[in-house]
Amino acid sequence: MMPVYNKDSRLSEPLFHDPSLIPVYNRFGIFLGVGDLSVREACEVHEVNLEFFLAVINTYLNKDYFPGNLVEEIHIDMLLDYLEKTDSYYSDAQLPNIERHFNFLLQKSVGQSAAGSSLELLRKFFFEVKEEMTLMIRNDLEYWFPLFRNDLPEAMVRIEKRINDPDSISVSLPFNNPTLEEKIQDLISFFVIHLKGDYDRNLLVAVVSAIYTLAKDVRQNNRIRDRILQPICIRRQ
């Protein structure tokens, strides 16, 4: 079971347990080379809210962790800033990285008809996933996040209508997106089970690893939306 970190934990400890936290730290302006600082000391140095940092790190890492009373200490603007940086990381780094590796893999497989055909189908499915993620990000940045900042009660009214009547508005809900998680996992499954022919094995590892990293980040940030963003919005509307 993943430990729960507190203000006296070394800032390096969570990174040793799970290096996928590196971009999460980056979203707080904390980069590798963390030294021997405690979480409390690092938050003071980087002017990061301690309770917010602990809530995000522990929620991200541990599926059994619930931030509880820590949510009361978190201002919604801090969380929206974190989620905006997360969305930007998806659109500016993770999705382009997968696409770039995918293109290299296809180029190396041009002479292999079976592999080329399978990979073309998989890339087509990846583009469907990318389109859905891009729409989610646009909904966040252009619709939900500005609404949360400017008129939280109205945002919650619209969310309630969306839950009760899925056709009431066209934008997806902001708290989590399980169908997106399922699609990314399906993409990984297709690679594992259905890929045919010969292909560059090293490039394939790079593609699947990048998709797995994206899947994990989406899943764990959905947990943050569900366990931190949603309670904040409900309690403060």
Side-chain angles (χ1 to χ4, degrees):
M1 181 177 176
M2 187 66 66
V4 174
Y5 296 99
N6 58 52
K7 62 184 177 64
D8 297 317
S9 302
R10 296 295 99 186
L11 186 64
S12 57
E13 290 176 33
L15 291 170
F16 286 128
H17 279 284
D18 192 340
S20 71
L21 270 174
I22 292 171
V24 177
Y25 274 45
N26 293 169
R27 290 162 200 159
F28 287 98
I30 300 173
F31 304 97
L32 290 186
V34 298
D36 197 39
L37 292 175
S38 69
V39 169
R40 178 185 56 78
E41 291 168 336
C43 286
E44 289 175 354
V45 168
H46 294 279
E47 299 182 340
V48 171
N49 181 279
L50 175 63
E51 288 77 14
F52 179 43
F53 183 81
L54 287 171
V56 168
I57 296 303
N58 285 311
T59 304
Y60 185 93
L61 288 174
N62 196 331
K63 65 183 179 62
D64 298 316
Y65 177 82
F66 288 84
N69 291 335
L70 283 178
V71 170
E72 297 289 348
E73 305 299 324
I74 298 171
H75 194 281
I76 191 169
D77 283 342
M78 290 190 294
L79 183 54
L80 294 178
D81 180 64
Y82 170 85
L83 293 174
E84 285 172 350
K85 290 176 180 176
T86 302
D87 282 347
S88 295
Y89 184 64
Y90 293 153
S91 61
D92 298 341
Q94 286 186 300
L95 291 171
N97 182 55
I98 295 171
E99 186 171 347
R100 184 167 54 252
H101 281 93
F102 230 137
N103 290 337
F104 288 151
L105 179 59
L106 271 167
Q107 290 171 14
K108 287 283 189 176
S109 306
V110 167
Q112 307 294 334
S113 59
S117 178
S118 293
L119 290 170
E120 281 288 3
L121 289 173
L122 286 168
R123 187 169 67 164
K124 182 179 178 181
F125 186 44
F126 163 70
F127 280 125
E128 291 179 16
V129 171
K130 179 183 176 182
E131 184 177 356
E132 183 166 338
M133 284 200 70
T134 301
L135 178 60
M136 178 200 76
I137 292 166
R138 187 161 62 245
N139 288 342
D140 281 349
L141 301 183
E142 297 179 6
Y143 185 84
W144 287 117
F145 292 173
L147 193 57
F148 285 147
R149 283 193 170 100
N150 298 321
D151 195 344
L152 184 56
E154 174 60 21
M156 297 308 296
V157 167
R158 296 187 193 187
I159 287 167
E160 188 67 25
K161 288 180 179 178
R162 181 72 172 87
I163 292 172
N164 294 328
D165 179 8
D167 297 322
S168 60
I169 55 175
S170 59
V171 294
S172 59
L173 291 171
F175 295 137
N176 55 49
N177 193 337
T179 60
L180 179 58
E181 290 184 42
E182 292 167 5
K183 280 191 174 182
I184 301 174
Q185 192 57 50
D186 285 343
L187 180 57
I188 295 172
S189 298
F190 291 158
F191 272 104
V192 172
I193 297 171
H194 300 295
L195 184 60
K196 306 292 184 184
D198 197 12
Y199 42 80
D200 187 298
R201 286 162 176 75
N202 289 330
L203 285 174
L204 184 70
V205 169
V207 172
V208 175
S209 297
I211 296 171
Y212 173 80
T213 299
L214 175 65
K216 183 176 182 179
D217 204 43
V218 168
R219 179 176 67 252
Q220 291 171 236
N221 277 297
N222 272 348
R223 194 185 301 152
I224 289 170
R225 289 170 180 262
D226 182 57
R227 297 184 185 177
I228 303 179
L229 178 60
Q230 186 168 10
I232 287 176
C233 292
I234 290 173
R235 293 179 190 184
R236 300 181 188 178
Q237 61 176 308

